[in-house]
Amino acid sequence: MFDKVLIANRGEIALRIHRACQEMGIRTVAVHSTADANAMHVRLADESVCIGPPPARDSYLNIAAILSAAAITGADAIHPGYGFLSENAEFAQMVEEHGFSFIGPSPEHIRMMGDKIAAKAAMRRLGVPLVPGSAGPVESEEIGLQLAKEIGYPVLIKAAAGGGGRGMKVAREAEGFTEAYRIARAEAKAAFGNDQVYMEKYLERPRHIELQVLADNHGNVVHFGERDCSLQRRHQKLVEEAGSPALNREQRDEMGARVTAALRELGYRNAGTLEFLYEDGKFYFIEMNTRLQVEHPVTEMVCGIDLVREQIRLAAGAPLGYEQEHIRFLGHAIECRITAEDPDSFMPTPGTVHTYHAPGGLGVRVDSALYSGYSVPPYYDSLVAKLIVHGITRNECLMRLRRALDEMVIEGISTTLPLHRRIMAEPDFVNGDYSIHWLERFVARGKP
Ligand code: MV4
């Protein structure tokens, strides 16, 4: 097992990783920008190294500085968290070339899944269902037009290097196809330096459902069920739940079996998440994330497993040590992502939190790096706390979540807490009756 892990991240996820290490008897190294000198992740770590000025590209994305910090502190392994360098195949490769373990998948798998066309080709070959669409890149508008006719409108043009909603264009009929195609390619070129695009049938009202997997270095792969992440606005998730109110046990088992078989075949290692669109009882694979996700705690709550500890164990070469049948699902969990944003306009609200009080009680978990007197810097993601609540039934979970939201205090800056309180009182949400478009419409309706 590792003696020392460097955590190449900040905020609540740096704390989350530190806690797993602490329980395993592993010492931790925090890295931080000058803007984060007083951050909680720096205070709690066993050691810390300043790696640069506030802008992320000079600090949390500074590969040379992070590798130097690992070398001078004698770390054995690096955990990238989410965001920043977590899905950077070159970084994973350099970590290993410098003699450290990367706590995550192989650089090859990160690279493969970063290319959305390659990811889909692999999943198609391995029998995972996909949205009807192009088998590879769509090289010209003539080919695209022909294919759109075969698939049937509306179609969606997506960037091969995209993901997370960036660089997508809908064409509702042949009339607008050429323009959508040209814009999609130009935007892909500008955003990713790669203008390759592919095409899919556009699903009008799907849910966004993802499956959590873990794989060891010995060919064992298990899944931990699904998360429903349909509640999002402009591709930023606000609320996630495990399991999905739309699925039953048989559907979960069936998708889990298919996906674990595919990843076994691929030789995948460590943690991963497969994203699906779900509509009219059918699943369609769209992308795979090769990192720990923000919303992993809802899965931990229903499965009673520490996914970060598992990631660390697996990266050190340990076998999973349990099989699919040993993974049980108990009850329901919901996570609210609380951000330093205006709850109506979603403008960031950096500044000093003069009062912070976290809720508690049975089934309540708060993952946050906040403390009273902390100043939220303007340079990074606006996530300030995740409130995760577990209940035996979804209804118990909801009642407990409403209570916890009422108990939670973040004063000094505006946050999305009031919006979460409104969502949890909304009949559609209470009934589990929502698609990926629900929140956008709810927010547009405004406060009652
Ligand atoms: C789609 C889609 C409809 N049909 N693909 C957006 C994020 C990226 N991961 C994939 N996305 C979508 N792909 C087809 N064929 C609708 C979306 C989409 C979406 C997906 C998940 C969560 C929120 C979303 C919001 C808008 C659009």
Side-chain angles (χ1 to χ4, degrees), residues 277-417:
L277 296 178
Y278 176 80
E279 195 176 70
D280 300 330
K282 291 193 285 289
F283 285 95
Y284 307 95
F285 170 82
I286 50 170
E287 292 173 22
M288 180 165 182
N289 301 321
T290 54
R291 60 166 190 278
L292 179 71
Q293 299 214 205
V294 176
E295 60 273 24
H296 76 278
V298 290
T299 300
E300 296 186 322
M301 300 288 268
V302 298
C303 295
I305 190 170
D306 182 334
L307 286 168
V308 178
R309 177 172 55 187
E310 293 305 280
Q311 280 195 293
I312 296 168
R313 269 196 335 106
L314 297 173
L320 270 175
Y322 44 86
E323 282 161 51
Q324 190 62 49
E325 69 202 50
H326 299 123
I327 297 162
R328 298 282 168 190
F329 304 91
L330 177 69
H332 196 90
I334 301 180
E335 170 177 280
C336 291
R337 291 192 193 189
I338 298 153
T339 54
E341 290 175 327
D342 181 275
D344 302 310
S345 70
F346 293 93
M347 291 296 288
T349 56
T352 302
V353 175
H354 63 69
T355 309
Y356 170 63
H357 171 77
L362 179 63
V364 176
R365 165 175 172 183
V366 179
D367 280 18
S368 173
L370 276 185
Y371 56 86
S372 288
Y374 175 68
S375 281
V376 179
Y379 308 104
Y380 313 108
D381 189 272
S382 59
L383 183 71
V384 290
K386 304 189 307 204
L387 171 59
I388 309 112
V389 172
H390 182 261
I392 292 298
T393 61
R394 188 169 182 272
N395 190 45
E396 183 183 67
C397 181
L398 273 170
M399 293 193 293
R400 188 166 284 159
L401 177 53
R402 289 189 202 106
R403 185 273 293 170
L405 282 165
D406 286 342
E407 200 174 308
M408 191 165 193
V409 180
I410 303 174
E411 277 170 3
I413 59 168
S414 283
T415 73
T416 49
L417 260 175

Side-chain angles (χ1 to χ4, degrees), residues 217-253:
N217 303 354
H218 315 279
N220 304 298
V221 186
V222 293
H223 74 87
F224 292 87
E226 81 285 1
R227 297 184 283 259
D228 196 317
C229 305
S230 303
L231 235 70
Q232 57 78 46
R233 180 187 164 275
R234 301 199 183 162
H235 305 294
Q236 297 296 317
K237 296 169 185 166
L238 265 85
V239 176
E240 304 98 349
E241 47 185 327
S244 169
L247 294 198
N248 59 40
R249 180 79 217 220
E250 289 67 45
Q251 291 171 295
R252 172 190 301 156
D253 291 347

Side-chain angles (χ1 to χ4, degrees), residues 56-308:
R57 68 177 169 279
D58 301 322
S59 49
Y60 297 104
L61 294 171
N62 184 342
I63 295 177
I66 291 166
L67 292 176
S68 302
I72 60 172
T73 55
D76 310 301
I78 299 182
H79 196 306
Y82 52 68
F84 295 129
L85 295 166
S86 60
E87 292 182 287
N88 183 318
E90 280 65 49
F91 176 63
Q93 193 168 336
M94 286 175 79
V95 166
E96 295 191 337
E97 282 168 3
H98 284 74
F100 309 108
S101 295
F102 180 76
I103 302 173
S106 72
E108 293 71 29
H109 286 125
I110 298 175
R111 199 166 287 125
M112 171 189 281
M113 299 309 168
D115 176 344
K116 307 302 164 188
I117 295 177
K120 288 188 66 175
M123 292 304 164
R124 179 197 311 270
R125 179 170 62 80
L126 298 169
V128 177
L130 313 180
V131 195
S134 60
V138 178
E139 311 269 16
S140 74
E141 53 189 70
E142 292 75 26
I143 294 172
L145 261 173
Q146 180 55 37
L147 193 61
K149 208 156 106 188
E150 289 163 26
I151 299 169
Y153 289 92
V155 296
L156 191 55
I157 305 157
K158 296 183 172 181
R166 294 178 307 162
M168 303 194 321
K169 280 279 162 288
V170 184
R172 296 219 159 257
E173 49 197 342
E175 170 97 70
F177 182 86
T178 297
E179 197 188 348
Y181 178 83
R182 285 184 191 159
I183 294 173
R185 276 190 81 152
E187 286 187 2
K189 181 80 190 167
F192 316 110
N194 173 355
D195 70 351
Q196 232 179 36
V197 295
Y198 62 104
M199 228 161 81
E200 287 176 356
K201 173 89 181 170
Y202 178 68
L203 304 181
E204 298 276 5
R205 208 176 161 272
R207 299 179 81 108
H208 180 225
I209 289 175
E210 57 186 35
L211 214 73
Q212 176 71 54
V213 300
L214 281 181
D216 67 16
N217 303 354
H218 315 279
N220 304 298
V221 186
V222 293
H223 74 87
F224 292 87
E226 81 285 1
R227 297 184 283 259
D228 196 317
C229 305
S230 303
L231 235 70
Q232 57 78 46
R233 180 187 164 275
R234 301 199 183 162
H235 305 294
Q236 297 296 317
K237 296 169 185 166
L238 265 85
V239 176
E240 304 98 349
E241 47 185 327
S244 169
L247 294 198
N248 59 40
R249 180 79 217 220
E250 289 67 45
Q251 291 171 295
R252 172 190 301 156
D253 291 347
E254 148 86 12
M255 281 315 293
R258 283 205 195 203
V259 156
T260 49
L263 293 185
R264 211 167 286 128
E265 197 65 36
L266 263 189
Y268 191 81
R269 293 177 174 195
N270 214 266
T273 300
L274 291 100
E275 295 191 359
F276 292 87
L277 296 178
Y278 176 80
E279 195 176 70
D280 300 330
K282 291 193 285 289
F283 285 95
Y284 307 95
F285 170 82
I286 50 170
E287 292 173 22
M288 180 165 182
N289 301 321
T290 54
R291 60 166 190 278
L292 179 71
Q293 299 214 205
V294 176
E295 60 273 24
H296 76 278
V298 290
T299 300
E300 296 186 322
M301 300 288 268
V302 298
C303 295
I305 190 170
D306 182 334
L307 286 168
V308 178

